[in-house]
Amino acid sequence: MDQRPPKSVFGHRPRKIRPFELPEHPGDGAGYDALDAFAMQKAASLNAHVIGHGALAEGEWQALSLEAPDQPAMRRYRLERIRQQLASRDLAGALLYDPLNVRYATDSTNMQLWVAHNAVRYAFVATDGPVILWDFHHCEHLSHHVETVDEVRHGIAWFYFLAGPRFEDMAGRWAAEIAAEVLAHGGGNRRIAVDRINPEGVEALAAHGITVANGEEVMELARSVKSADEIKAMRRSIGACEAAMAVMEEALHPGMSENDLWAILHAENIRRGGEWIETRLLSSGPRTNPWFQESSARIIENGDIVAFDTDLVGPYGYCCDISRTWLAGDARPSNEQRSLYAMAAEQIRANVDMLKPGLTFRELSEKAASLPADYLPNRYSVLFHGVGLCDEYPSVPYPEDWQKGGYDGVLEPGMVVTAESYVGRHGGHEGVKLEDQVLITETGHEQLSTYPLDAALLGLAG
């Protein structure tokens, strides 16, 4: 007999899960369904998201007076944002493969980096209907705690690694299942948004009369304005990241490698319940100019500057994207190092100060503090960009790059952006990278990142 809790509308099962409180085993003679229900409840109670972020992170957040987000409210808000975008485009739903979009829609995770390049995990969000998640085999328990996921099924993999030469056949099976949900919940509308899809998938859906619209646009715009609970989650992620940075800075000394230092940020992020780091952007000494060297085995020397960009996906899946440059050792900074640092610090200060709702992206590009001519060839790719679960919409380039890739839009309250600066003379020896994360408020802005700048490079150290 099936002993699972009764399903409600769209297959949703009510969740009452407490960490570590294991259910009672039904006994050696129990049937399949009873053992299945026990296994689900046991695994769900041991889910990392149910267990939480740990005493270290919780203690630091309490010391910083950082409130916990209301996660059910945050999930409802994010689903409503998606459905507003879908309804405004007359779409029946969204089919999502990007693991960050799946996270935004479901607040459920599974092997996030692996599924980014192995398309086995996907979700369908009906504009007026259920949220269905297709997951890797035997992974239903990973979403059992999430009240906004109505049903979990095994995914149909049709990428070549798993499907091999049967990929067209598997894509056909996949499309039939997707089409059935669109027909059941679309009210006759057969247009859906899809964020990632191969050509054979488009063709297989078309065979069922399903047409595909741009799902990236839907999701980037949905994610761009954060709720109060999302901001609470982001504050905690930033707090965890900055605590990890403090451990890094304390450990920094001449004689260690760049990789030694970079590994600390990874380790401290994981210790606080964080998830991963998107890049490897840490360099020292002559490797800081030009920017975008990845962390290496180079040994940091006394008097080197060490620059890095966190690009850190922390607790709750929210990104802390800030950059700092430090002076290594006890040497006095050179005049060039102080000059580079002052230029970057002033650009960040000026560009953060100008942020407010109602400004267009074109205005931001044209009015932002720029760089002298001999530094422009090494300029960073953008002046500002959005941030949420990762780097996201919008992207605001320098005026020199506007025609090549700029687009307009308007800053809104609830958006979070970073102000970027990289200062390195064209053909120069070193460079400085700084970046801060900023919330757009109803009346202006609030800087969310608080990690101090380097006193020695600012000329403030004794």
Side-chain angles (χ1 to χ4, degrees), residues 321-360:
D321 187 15
I322 63 179
S323 300
R324 289 295 183 264
T325 298
W326 297 328
L327 183 67
D330 55 7
R332 294 178 61 85
S334 68
N335 290 337
E336 180 186 11
Q337 288 172 334
R338 287 197 298 266
S339 176
L340 293 169
Y341 203 87
M343 196 181 304
E346 175 55 27
Q347 185 182 31
I348 288 289
R349 185 203 61 78
N351 290 345
V352 167
D353 284 350
M354 71 181 292
L355 293 171
K356 62 182 180 180
L359 275 178
T360 68

Side-chain angles (χ1 to χ4, degrees), residues 145-163:
H145 67 291
V146 182
E147 67 285 342
T148 46
V149 175
D150 297 301
E151 185 180 356
V152 182
R153 304 178 186 175
H154 287 183
I156 297 177
W158 49 277
F159 59 99
Y160 204 85
F161 163 39
L162 290 185

Side-chain angles (χ1 to χ4, degrees), residues 271-413:
R271 290 185 70 211
R272 291 164 174 81
E275 300 189 4
W276 74 85
I277 295 177
E278 298 254 87
T279 63
R280 288 176 53 91
L281 294 176
L282 181 146
S283 53
S284 62
R287 299 186 75 243
T288 60
N289 187 338
W291 187 239
F292 285 112
Q293 294 277 15
E294 294 195 322
S295 178
S296 76
R298 181 185 184 269
I299 300 301
I300 298 168
E301 300 178 5
N302 193 37
D304 277 348
I305 58 174
V306 179
F308 66 97
D309 190 334
T310 60
D311 290 318
L312 180 149
V313 178
Y316 303 98
Y318 278 92
C319 184
C320 177
D321 187 15
I322 63 179
S323 300
R324 289 295 183 264
T325 298
W326 297 328
L327 183 67
D330 55 7
R332 294 178 61 85
S334 68
N335 290 337
E336 180 186 11
Q337 288 172 334
R338 287 197 298 266
S339 176
L340 293 169
Y341 203 87
M343 196 181 304
E346 175 55 27
Q347 185 182 31
I348 288 289
R349 185 203 61 78
N351 290 345
V352 167
D353 284 350
M354 71 181 292
L355 293 171
K356 62 182 180 180
L359 275 178
T360 68
F361 305 160
R362 186 67 180 260
E363 288 175 313
L364 283 172
S365 178
E366 292 176 346
K367 296 180 180 180
S370 188
L371 299 170
D374 51 343
Y375 292 84
L376 274 175
N378 271 348
R379 64 186 175 274
Y380 197 70
S381 57
V382 294
L383 287 158
F384 307 91
H385 67 77
V387 63
L389 298 181
C390 64
D391 291 3
E392 55 191 37
Y393 172 93
S395 171
V396 180
Y398 278 78
E400 290 81 0
D401 302 316
W402 187 267
Q403 290 303 317
K404 182 171 62 177
Y407 54 83
D408 216 349
V410 180
L411 287 183
E412 300 177 47

Side-chain angles (χ1 to χ4, degrees), residues 202-321:
V202 177
E203 295 170 5
L205 288 172
H208 294 274
I210 308 297
T211 58
V212 171
N214 189 326
E216 286 186 341
E217 179 185 36
V218 167
M219 294 305 297
E220 289 285 341
L221 294 177
R223 286 161 50 180
S224 64
V225 177
K226 280 71 178 173
S227 70
D229 287 298
E230 287 187 277
I231 298 302
K232 288 179 180 179
M234 186 176 285
R235 289 183 195 276
R236 285 188 156 202
S237 181
I238 292 171
C241 179
E242 292 188 338
M245 289 166 62
V247 179
M248 281 179 76
E249 188 171 18
E250 178 67 23
L252 172 60
H253 65 271
M256 72 187 312
S257 73
E258 294 172 355
N259 286 339
D260 289 335
L261 184 62
W262 187 237
I264 295 171
L265 185 62
H266 280 266
E268 295 299 319
N269 181 40
I270 299 301
R271 290 185 70 211
R272 291 164 174 81
E275 300 189 4
W276 74 85
I277 295 177
E278 298 254 87
T279 63
R280 288 176 53 91
L281 294 176
L282 181 146
S283 53
S284 62
R287 299 186 75 243
T288 60
N289 187 338
W291 187 239
F292 285 112
Q293 294 277 15
E294 294 195 322
S295 178
S296 76
R298 181 185 184 269
I299 300 301
I300 298 168
E301 300 178 5
N302 193 37
D304 277 348
I305 58 174
V306 179
F308 66 97
D309 190 334
T310 60
D311 290 318
L312 180 149
V313 178
Y316 303 98
Y318 278 92
C319 184
C320 177
D321 187 15

